[in-house]
Amino acid sequence: MNASAAARTALLSSPYKRSNKANGEINNVNVIGNKNIRVHGNGGFYNVFNGGVYHGKASFMNWTLDDVVYVARYHRIPCVFAAGLLFFMYVEYTLRMVPDSSPPFDLGFVVSRSFHRALASWPELNTSLAALNTVFVGMQTVYILSTWLIEGRPRATISALFMFTCRGILGYSTQLPLPQEFVGSGVDFPVGNVSFFLFFSGHVAGSVIASLDMRRMQRWEMAWLFDTLNVLQAVRLLGTRGHYTIDLAVGVGAGILFDSLAGKYEKAKRKSELVSGTVEEALFKVKRRNGMTKSCTMGRQ
């Protein structure tokens, strides 16, 4: 491996050879890294693992100034996150906490203050947007169910079941107070001014699940449409004070997480069925072989 190829493949951690099995070696044997590779592919020596125990110098002890410069140039996103860590550590440790006598501070509420005043003073607009949002929730539901009932692909449905079950557990476990400036509507989902969990937003998570499935099926236009409507939905929910900002942000993460978990579930089930089918086929062959052996024995007699 030359230096340029190593530079493309090396990340922040030390590079290693392929696994013992790939190298035709047995387990519990030292694996020695390439002597010509450091953090950015120039020089270095690494003892890796022996029986799960690390041996040799710590990785950072082999770093040079060139390595640091390389990381800053070619790994900018982790560097930005590192700067963000330091910044928010300062903010967290110097911030005055909200007293228990005050309502929660929400930056999304501050940004959407003018929109909130418009919705509060114009009930017709609030009702119209609530109705449109309910239609969008119906679109999510129809799409997710149709992928299973019509197309025979249950992943999105499984993901939604995982998500709403977890949302119910978390929403009941920590019941956040309804924002004081909440602007409700009888046509908003859930229809009828019923109670609902604030954490986290099922509206947003359901839309993300549907959008991810559309992308898997290369339905790009539908996916972009759902993403756009999801952003507008989030703005409306902030304007009505129907959700805190954290509810919406976690809703996005929950949609991605439970879609991934549903994919892992499907993969595990397919692997299990494959193993089960292989075992059954092997047993069938053994029984068939035994049957043929008995037939030959009886024929000789």
Side-chain angles (χ1 to χ4, degrees):
M1 180 185 295
N2 56 36
S4 61
R8 289 193 297 269
T9 57
L11 295 177
L12 296 177
S13 59
S14 304
Y16 302 109
K17 283 187 177 181
R18 298 177 65 185
S19 64
N20 294 344
K21 291 184 179 180
N23 290 327
E25 303 171 5
I26 61 174
N27 293 329
N28 298 323
V29 177
N30 277 341
V31 180
I32 307 301
N34 192 328
K35 292 184 179 181
N36 296 321
I37 298 176
R38 283 187 190 267
V39 173
H40 67 285
N42 293 320
F45 182 83
Y46 299 98
N47 291 321
V48 188
F49 289 100
N50 180 19
V53 180
Y54 182 83
H55 296 277
K57 287 185 177 181
S59 176
F60 74 91
M61 295 180 67
N62 296 302
W63 294 2
T64 66
L65 180 61
D66 289 341
D67 298 328
V68 176
V69 172
Y70 175 83
V71 169
R73 290 183 60 188
Y74 296 100
H75 298 285
R76 295 176 182 176
I77 292 178
C79 289
V80 170
F81 283 128
L85 168 65
L86 297 176
F87 172 74
F88 283 108
M89 283 176 64
Y90 170 78
V91 171
E92 180 179 3
Y93 299 153
T94 59
L95 185 69
R96 291 185 59 187
M97 300 190 72
V98 178
D100 56 4
S101 58
S102 301
F105 171 78
D106 192 293
L107 184 60
F109 289 3
V110 175
V111 173
S112 61
R113 187 176 296 154
S114 58
F115 184 43
H116 169 73
R117 285 197 294 264
L119 293 175
S121 61
W122 193 355
E124 293 79 8
L125 176 62
N126 179 51
T127 301
S128 299
L129 294 179
L132 291 174
N133 205 157
T134 298
V135 171
F136 180 47
V137 174
M139 291 167 59
Q140 299 173 26
T141 305
V142 170
Y143 178 83
I144 290 173
L145 289 177
S146 67
T147 59
W148 172 41
L149 298 176
I150 298 177
E151 300 179 18
R153 297 184 298 106
R155 176 168 173 170
T157 304
I158 295 172
S159 176
L161 293 175
F162 283 1
M163 182 271 291
F164 279 110
T165 300
C166 182
R167 177 178 179 269
I169 294 172
L170 295 177
Y172 184 81
S173 299
T174 303
Q175 301 179 33
L176 300 174
L178 189 68
Q180 296 177 357
E181 301 176 332
F182 174 64
V183 180
S185 173
V187 297
D188 200 358
F189 185 86
V191 178
N193 283 321
V194 298
S195 60
F196 58 93
F197 293 132
L198 285 166
F199 188 83
F200 48 85
S201 174
H203 290 69
V204 171
S207 180
V208 170
I209 290 171
S211 175
L212 290 173
D213 185 86
M214 293 169 185
R215 281 177 164 75
R216 271 194 301 273
M217 302 307 295
Q218 299 184 0
R219 296 165 178 166
W220 308 113
E221 292 81 6
M222 292 180 64
W224 282 112
L225 174 63
F226 264 56
D227 289 341
T228 303
L229 293 176
N230 201 11
V231 171
L232 296 176
Q233 169 182 247
V235 172
R236 176 191 162 267
L237 290 171
L238 286 175
T240 61
R241 307 300 189 248
H243 274 294
Y244 295 103
T245 302
I246 193 173
D247 304 330
L248 306 176
V250 174
V252 175
I256 297 172
L257 170 64
F258 289 108
D259 177 79
S260 175
L261 291 179
K264 293 181 184 298
Y265 171 81
E266 282 192 325
K267 184 178 180 180
K269 294 299 292 183
R270 283 195 297 266
K271 184 177 181 181
S272 176
E273 291 172 359
L274 179 62
V275 172
S276 177
T278 303
V279 172
E280 290 179 359
E281 183 179 358
L283 291 174
F284 175 76
K285 289 181 179 180
V286 170
K287 290 180 179 180
R288 185 178 180 183
R289 190 184 307 116
N290 292 339
M292 292 177 64
T293 303
K294 289 181 180 179
S295 299
C296 291
T297 304
M298 292 177 65
R300 291 171 183 172
Q301 292 177 351

